[in-house]
Structure formats: structure tokens, C-alpha cells
Amino acid sequence: MGSLSSSLRQGWLELSSARHSMGNSRISSVLFDMKPHSSATTVDLTVSLPVNVPHTTQPHFSLLKWGSRGDEKSPSVEVDGKTPSQASSCSGRTICGLLLLKCGRRRSKALSMFGALVPPKLRVAQGSFETSLEAIIEIANTRSTILSALGRLQTVDLRS
Amino acid sequence: MANRVQIPTNNSALIAMIADEDTVTGFLLAGVGNVDLRRNTNYLIVDSKTTVKAIEDAFKEFTTREDIAIVLISQYVANMIRFLVDSYNKAVPAILEIPSKDHPYDPAHDSVLSRVRYLFSSESVSSGRR
């Protein structure tokens, strides 16, 4: 939670700086894109069933940032049925390049609701909130582990 | 992972938000925003004019939607609907209480940590009695 608080604080500060340079009306909820569109950053949810503990499930969350798993330096989503590691080195680099381009376009699209030209602070704020999302996924998985353990403890307690 | 069966359930689930404008703005910049064909969003911006009923309705809606995996809620907003948040006991969507600009995170109010404290306090009481 400490790293989440820190990255959120950084993001709020950068957002305030961007608002200061652009003006309050230029960064406002009124400008949010209300046209139907799907989320570029989603969560991959997997449920694991412990074999030795019946009737319990434990969800696991993974972040798909801008449609890619992993970070922008090593994106690991499939393109044409191959991951960059499965493809040959040359096409693997091409796949990585295409993925980075795709991520870059989606990032720019998210920023574009506040105008074509945005200050650098807004881009930095975007990065801070992306970092916050990574912390959030870690916290979600920790929470899932805690709740699963609590459930098992309560089951053991009831039996005894 | 040994002794576990993994079942993929949803590989493009959403993150919902019930928070102040700056927090929602930041996460929308991170690409989390979703608007469906009926113009339903996956977020609720809470300000001074937002009623408790509106927050409750949004919480109930987000926790019953099948396409949402995580619900982020500012802790000060969660405190307004504390009974509802504490009585929520499903694993998915996960409810995460996050700090806001003006209200830092307080672990004493967190729903999950409260449950852990309660369990261990009742354990210590019952082990003391034995």
C-alpha cells in the first residue's frame, strides 16, 4: 500500500501541475470520452482450485496494460499466433516493435481526450497512474491470498 | 503451482472505480475507462454533490457485473457505505480501498484487514479460554 500511495501522490501532483499549465477547464471530467469504447487496460483473471482444500477458490489477477502483458520493454502478447520469443529473432524484433507502436498509439489516444497537444506533466502523470495499477494488481493478489487463507482457517476452526 | 488447478475465467475483465475526479482522471489516462453501447461507464466520480444512494447503487452495480474483476474505491467513500463494503464477501470482483488526495489510507478501516484482526482476536480469546 505504501508504493501505491506514493505513486498515486506522484500522479496527483503531476496532474495538478498539468492542470495549472493547461487551465482547469482543459483537464476536467466534462471532457471524458463518453462515446462507446472498450478499455485498453484490462485484467486477466484466473481462478485456481487448491487440490487438497475442496470448496475453495483463489482468483489470480494479471494486468494487461494497453492490451499487453508485461512491461513495454518486454511485451508478451501474441501476434499472429506467436509470441516474440517463439518467432525468429528478426520477426520477434518486428513483433516487439509493432507491440510498442500499438501501446504508444493507445497511450496517445488516452491523452487525446484532453487535446492534441498536452503538456509533458500529463504524460508523466499517465506513467505514474500506470505504475499505480501495477501496485493495485499486487495488492489484489495479496488480498486474494489472505481471503483464501481466512476461508481455510475458518473451515479448520469449524471442524475442530 | 503444485496442487492447484488453474482455470482461466476472464482474460479481459475491467477495473471499476468509485473515487474523486482526480483519481478517476488518472486511471482513465492509464487506459482503464470503458463505455458500453448504453453509455454505461465503469466509474463513478464522487464529489460533494454525490449522494450516498448513488454511491451504494454504483457499488452494487459494479459488484454484480460479470465483466468487472476489480473495484477500486477511495477509502473515504468506502466509509460512507461501510456496512455495504464490510458485508461484501465475494472473491471476485475484488474490492480494494485506496487512498485519496485529502484522505490518506488507514489500515484500521480496511475491510479485509479488519476481518483478519477480528479472526485473530477471536482466536486469541478462544485459545486463552482453553
Side-chain angles (χ1 to χ4, degrees):
Chain A
M1 190 54 81
S3 63
L4 173 63
S5 296
S6 168
S7 54
L8 281 175
R9 263 199 307 275
Q10 191 67 26
W12 290 321
L13 188 63
E14 284 145 6
L15 199 58
S16 298
S17 297
R19 193 177 269 130
H20 180 73
S21 63
M22 289 175 79
N24 281 338
S25 57
R26 291 284 312 279
I27 300 181
S28 162
S29 58
V30 173
L31 299 171
F32 287 174
D33 185 3
M34 293 307 292
K35 286 184 239 166
H37 66 274
S38 51
S39 171
T41 296
T42 54
V43 172
D44 183 12
L45 175 64
T46 313
V47 173
S48 64
L49 304 172
V51 170
N52 53 350
V53 186
H55 310 301
T56 57
T57 58
Q58 186 176 328
H60 181 81
F61 306 91
S62 309
L63 187 64
L64 296 174
K65 216 161 47 166
W66 307 111
S68 304
R69 200 186 305 275
D71 57 35
E72 60 185 14
K73 291 182 185 167
S74 57
S76 57
V77 77
E78 287 186 4
V79 175
D80 294 335
K82 288 181 189 171
T83 60
S85 56
Q86 286 172 340
S88 65
S89 60
C90 208
S91 54
R93 281 198 294 273
T94 308
I95 289 170
C96 277
L98 285 170
L99 288 170
L100 284 171
L101 196 63
K102 195 176 165 186
C103 287
R105 278 186 190 150
R106 286 178 171 173
R107 269 206 183 90
S108 298
K109 191 180 172 194
L111 286 165
S112 66
M113 65 178 164
F114 298 120
L117 292 172
V118 294
K121 279 288 179 186
L122 198 62
R123 293 181 191 274
V124 176
Q126 186 182 48
S128 295
F129 280 98
E130 285 178 31
T131 306
S132 302
L133 281 177
E134 289 162 15
I136 279 163
I137 294 299
E138 272 185 51
I139 293 168
N141 286 324
T142 305
R143 174 190 178 276
S144 166
T145 306
I146 290 171
L147 287 176
S148 177
L150 270 176
R152 289 202 291 274
L153 269 171
Q154 281 165 347
T155 309
V156 166
D157 200 34
L158 282 169
R159 283 180 191 165
S160 64
Chain B
M1 208 179 281
N3 300 328
R4 285 178 183 270
V5 176
Q6 302 267 354
I7 303 170
T9 52
N10 194 338
N11 58 4
S12 61
L14 303 175
I15 299 173
M17 297 161 284
I18 305 175
D20 55 272
E21 184 174 334
D22 275 6
T23 305
V24 171
T25 302
F27 284 121
L28 291 190
L29 285 173
V32 161
N34 187 84
V35 181
D36 66 11
L37 293 170
R38 292 180 193 172
R39 301 272 177 111
N40 292 325
T41 61
N42 61 329
Y43 56 86
L44 172 72
I45 297 173
V46 177
D47 57 22
S48 53
K49 295 174 192 163
T50 310
T51 60
V52 173
K53 173 107 182 21
I55 297 169
E56 283 178 355
D57 290 344
F59 183 84
K60 286 175 188 166
E61 185 205 330
F62 293 154
T63 51
T64 48
R65 274 172 64 169
E66 288 180 0
D67 59 344
I68 290 175
I70 296 174
V71 178
L72 301 178
I73 180 167
S74 294
Q75 195 174 51
Y76 84 97
V77 177
N79 287 340
M80 293 182 199
I81 55 167
R82 182 49 67 192
F83 178 73
L84 207 56
V85 173
D86 283 353
S87 59
Y88 177 83
N89 56 7
K90 292 186 209 165
V92 177
I95 309 298
L96 299 184
E97 297 179 32
I98 59 173
S100 64
K101 270 194 321 185
D102 304 319
H103 301 88
Y105 175 75
D106 181 0
H109 288 131
D110 189 281
S111 172
V112 172
L113 294 180
S114 301
R115 264 185 254 179
V116 172
R117 256 198 311 278
Y118 175 76
L119 180 70
F120 281 105
S121 65
S122 60
E123 281 287 319
S124 61
V125 165
S126 60
S127 63
R129 281 179 186 161
R130 283 183 206 136

